[in-house]
Amino acid sequence: MVAGNRNEAEEILRQARSRGLQMPVLGADGLEGIEEAGAIAEGVYLSAAYLPSLHTPANLAFLKAYRKKFPSAGLPNQPAAATYDAVYLLRDVIERAGSDRAAVRRELARVGTGTPPFKGVTGTVAFDIRGDVPNQAVYIGEVQDGAVRLAGGQ
């Protein structure tokens, strides 16, 4: 288990691999980009709220829009996907509530309880009575052939 960021993980992997250690390595979203480290990152697992390799209709639409807007950029990351979802969630809420701040806040709090959940790129958003999103998806990705893919296939 690597409880750190990509730089620390790369150093741990370099040292482990140089000593012949080939055990599975798991980290969290701080390892974003680890696949760019090359062969030492193959087989590394990481948890993430978003993986660009997800084959969902929402993600496929997001990838198309992202590539159109940023044709020379690489794949989008979790903050890009979460921002995309936040903008479209707020668009939907404002369409229903209008522009009054208090009305927007009330309508936002109703997402998933008083109104249908929001189905976005990062999964389904449904707020509970405390304002949390308790059932948000977390994915386990695995570095395979230089890319992070959903572990166990897709």
Side-chain angles (χ1 to χ4, degrees):
M1 176 69 179
V2 175
N5 291 318
R6 177 181 166 187
N7 291 339
E8 292 91 5
E10 285 183 27
E11 183 58 28
I12 290 166
L13 287 166
R14 273 193 288 282
Q15 289 186 29
R17 302 305 188 232
S18 74
R19 290 174 172 78
L21 300 174
Q22 296 298 321
M23 78 294 256
V25 173
L26 171 66
D29 58 356
L31 271 59
E32 182 179 297
I34 192 73
E35 68 276 9
E36 296 169 10
I40 63 167
E42 284 296 310
V44 168
Y45 294 92
L46 60 113
S47 63
Y50 169 76
L51 295 172
S53 62
L54 295 172
H55 292 290
T56 64
N59 189 50
L60 296 174
F62 169 59
L63 290 172
K64 184 178 179 181
Y66 189 86
R67 286 185 181 119
K68 184 177 180 183
K69 180 74 174 172
F70 307 106
S72 62
L75 291 171
N77 60 8
Q78 189 277 328
T83 300
Y84 183 87
D85 278 354
V87 166
Y88 281 93
L89 170 61
L90 285 172
R91 178 205 62 188
D92 292 353
V93 166
I94 291 168
E95 281 179 356
R96 291 192 303 268
S99 60
D100 177 72
R101 290 175 63 110
V104 168
R105 173 66 186 98
R106 281 191 304 276
E107 188 65 21
L108 184 60
R110 291 171 24 90
V111 171
T113 54
T115 63
F118 175 80
K119 299 203 183 294
V121 176
T122 61
T124 300
V125 176
F127 296 104
D128 66 14
I129 60 171
R130 292 181 302 277
D132 295 326
V133 182
N135 296 315
Q136 190 65 32
V138 175
Y139 302 98
I140 302 297
E142 180 183 4
V143 178
Q144 301 170 0
D145 300 320
V148 178
R149 294 183 172 78
L150 191 61
Q154 191 171 9

